[in-house]
Amino acid sequence: MPPDFSLSDKIILQFGGSGHLGRALSTALHGAGATVVVAGRSPPASDAAPIAHESVDITVEASVVALRDRLLAQHGRVDGVVFNAVNRPMTGFDDDLAAWESSMKTNATGLFAVARVFGNAMAARRAGSFVAISSIQGMVGANPWLYEGTSMQTVPDYFFHKAGMLNLVRYLASHYGATGVRVNAVSPGGILNPERPLPAEFLARYGKMTMLGRLAEAHEVVGAVVFLLSDAASYITGANLPVDGGYTAK
C-alpha cells in the first residue's frame, strides 16, 4: 500500500464493531496497518485480526471520557475515529415515542459526545481524522416502492439521525478545521449481509435504483473509510462520500 494511503503507525478508534459492516471495517483498518481499538457496550465476535476491544457507553459522557483517558494513557494519542455505532429501536412509524428517544440518545447525543471528547483530544495534538458512517437514507427520502410485497419497511428515526449526522459533520469540520482535525462522512447504500438475506423482489427493485445494478458488499464500503483516515485525504474535510453504486446520482 502506498505510504499516503497507509494507516501504518496510526491509532484508530472504531465505535461499533459487532455488525457485518463493523467487522469488515475493523479488519480493513488493521489490514491498512493501523492499531485498531473497537469500542462498544460489549465485545464483538472474535476477529481473525488482533484487534483490541474497549467497553464504553456512548450515551454517558463520563464513560466516553474514561475511554479517552485509558487510550491516551496506553497509546499517548488517538489519530483517527470511526463512528459506526447505531441503535435502531424503532420498528415502525407508530412506535411509542420512547423508542424515538432511545434512538436519539445513541445516534445524536452519543455521536456528539464522542465527536467532542475525541475531537478535542485530537485537536490538542493538531492532527486527526474523524469519519462518521452515515447512509444514503440521510440524503434522500423514503421510497415505499422498494418494499412493496415484503415485510420490510422504513422507520423515521434512521432518516432523521443520518441526515443530522451529515450536517453535524460539516459543523465539526468548521469547528476543528484550524486545529488540523478533519471531519468527514461516508454514506453507504444497501449492503448485502449473508446473515440477513433480503427478499428477491427487494433486491431486484433496489438494483434498478443504482447504476451498477446491485447492492454493495461490505468490503466495497471500507476503502472509502480507510482513504479518509489516511494522509492521502489530508485536504478533504466537511465532505460526504456516498458509496452507493450511483443510487443518489441517478
Side-chain angles (χ1 to χ4, degrees):
M1 183 173 291
D4 281 352
F5 290 88
S6 171
L7 301 182
S8 180
D9 299 323
K10 291 187 183 293
I11 310 299
I12 304 296
L13 172 63
Q14 175 184 321
F15 289 86
S18 60
H20 183 55
L21 178 59
R23 294 193 298 271
L25 279 168
S26 58
T27 299
L29 296 175
H30 172 77
T35 296
V36 184
V37 179
V38 175
R41 288 191 175 185
S42 58
S46 60
D47 298 287
I51 293 167
H53 303 287
E54 287 281 350
S55 178
V56 68
D57 182 349
I58 64 172
T59 68
V60 178
E61 186 176 26
S63 181
V64 179
V65 170
L67 173 63
R68 177 204 63 194
D69 292 346
R70 292 197 302 273
L71 293 183
L72 293 182
Q74 182 176 0
H75 300 286
R77 69 188 196 280
V78 173
D79 298 303
V81 176
V82 180
F83 189 88
N84 183 54
V86 66
N87 179 24
R88 303 191 69 170
M90 292 196 77
T91 59
F93 185 81
D94 293 319
D95 281 3
D96 189 274
L97 280 180
W100 173 277
E101 292 169 353
S102 175
S103 176
M104 294 307 120
K105 194 169 184 181
T106 296
N107 303 317
T109 304
L111 166 62
F112 181 64
V114 166
R116 185 168 64 179
V117 168
F118 285 94
N120 288 348
M122 291 188 289
R125 296 186 59 251
R126 304 192 67 78
S129 175
F130 188 99
V131 179
I133 307 301
S134 185
S135 166
I136 61 168
Q137 291 188 338
M139 302 172 63
V140 299
N143 185 348
W145 171 76
L146 290 172
Y147 310 102
E148 288 178 2
T150 76
S151 60
M152 302 170 66
Q153 61 178 314
T154 60
V155 287
D157 62 324
Y158 194 74
F159 282 78
F160 181 85
H161 68 71
K162 288 303 185 183
M165 174 184 280
L166 294 180
N167 222 29
L168 181 61
V169 159
R170 298 180 186 104
Y171 178 91
L172 293 169
S174 174
H175 179 79
Y176 286 117
T179 71
V181 175
R182 298 181 294 105
V183 185
N184 294 288
V186 170
S187 289
I191 301 172
L192 289 169
N193 183 349
E195 300 168 6
R196 296 180 179 178
L198 294 167
E201 54 266 57
F202 171 82
L203 292 173
R205 290 174 186 148
Y206 188 92
K208 292 177 181 178
M209 294 294 294
T210 73
M211 293 177 179
L212 297 182
R214 60 179 176 84
L215 276 77
E217 300 281 355
H219 70 84
E220 296 178 298
V221 175
V222 299
V225 179
V226 172
F227 166 63
L228 289 173
L229 290 168
S230 76
D231 293 341
S234 60
Y235 198 60
I236 299 176
T237 195
N240 173 40
L241 177 54
V243 184
D244 63 359
Y247 188 112
T248 56
K250 192 169 182 179

